[in-house]
Amino acid sequence: MTNSELLDAQWDIDFGTAKSMRYHAYRRSFWEMLDNWTKCLVVFSGTAVLVSIIGEKSLAATVFAFVVAFLSAIDVVLGFSTRARTHDTLYRQFCRLQAEISSVIAPTEDPLVPWRRRRLEIELEEPTTLDWLERRSAFEESKARGVEPRASWVLKWWQTLFSQLAMWPQITFAKPPQKR
């Protein structure tokens, strides 16, 4: 490989790793926020239920009891704190790889293969990737590096807003074939 090809290969691995760090930082923050809000709402609602039970049974007690049960069930099923820890672990693994890549100024072919292998090994541990959040992370990383982002990385404001919530399908509207 030429020196230019080596630098390009290192840049590609470096960019992908940095993008993944952004992605997992977003996912970790998202799950931590849900975990914290759920705990706060459960404590608030649980306190309201206790006050209502001690006083008199009311509609408020029933509503707050439902809120406690619902939030607790969602937390048990989705495991907010467990998911936050998973993304924190992945973020840290990508940071270690990033530090290793950054320590090499003039790459040779020797570290490229282990870096690619290590990145793929970390990606094996990833839960399902959210496309919009992946593209959002790539867009932000390209802007941070002063590189023109690909058109496919540019999201509408509402796609950015909902990028944490689900695996959204990629919808493209192709022109139907023309009759001849």
Side-chain angles (χ1 to χ4, degrees):
M1 291 180 95
T2 68
N3 191 39
S4 178
E5 291 172 331
L6 289 169
L7 287 171
D8 285 346
Q10 180 184 16
W11 194 93
D12 287 345
I13 297 167
D14 184 54
F15 181 87
T17 301
K19 173 193 52 101
S20 294
M21 287 169 51
R22 285 179 186 274
Y23 178 91
H24 290 293
Y26 275 125
R27 293 304 288 163
R28 177 189 60 202
S29 296
F30 176 76
W31 291 113
E32 284 175 345
M33 182 228 14
L34 285 178
D35 187 47
N36 291 333
W37 273 104
T38 300
K39 288 175 183 172
C40 290
L41 291 172
V42 166
V43 167
F44 173 75
S45 300
T47 304
V49 168
L50 286 175
V51 169
S52 296
I53 290 173
I54 292 170
E56 62 181 65
K57 189 172 182 177
S58 65
L59 176 62
T62 305
V63 169
F64 281 120
F66 177 76
V67 169
V68 168
F70 179 74
L71 292 174
S72 298
I74 286 178
D75 191 19
V76 166
V77 170
L78 295 179
F80 299 146
S81 60
T82 302
R83 289 176 185 242
R85 281 192 305 274
T86 298
H87 288 285
D88 184 59
T89 300
L90 290 165
Y91 173 81
R92 289 173 185 277
Q93 289 176 354
F94 279 117
C95 283
R96 286 185 197 100
L97 178 57
Q98 184 76 19
E100 190 177 321
I101 293 168
S102 298
S103 68
V104 175
I105 296 170
T108 63
E109 289 185 46
D110 293 339
L112 293 177
V113 172
W115 289 342
R116 277 194 200 107
R117 189 193 83 247
R118 181 68 189 127
R119 183 172 159 212
L120 290 172
E121 288 172 349
I122 297 169
E123 288 174 353
L124 279 173
E125 303 301 319
E126 289 180 317
T128 302
T129 303
L130 303 178
D131 179 60
W132 287 355
L133 187 58
E134 179 86 3
R135 292 193 287 150
R136 174 184 175 186
S137 300
F139 174 82
E140 290 176 4
E141 185 60 28
S142 67
K143 291 303 248 182
R145 291 174 181 238
V147 176
E148 186 66 30
R150 292 181 185 166
S152 63
W153 295 343
V154 179
L155 300 176
K156 295 174 176 62
W157 69 269
W158 58 271
Q159 290 174 310
T160 301
L161 183 66
F162 292 112
S163 64
Q164 289 272 11
L165 298 180
M167 186 67 182
W168 301 97
Q170 183 67 7
I171 299 173
T172 55
F173 297 98
K175 290 183 179 180
Q178 301 291 325
K179 286 188 174 181
R180 292 185 179 182

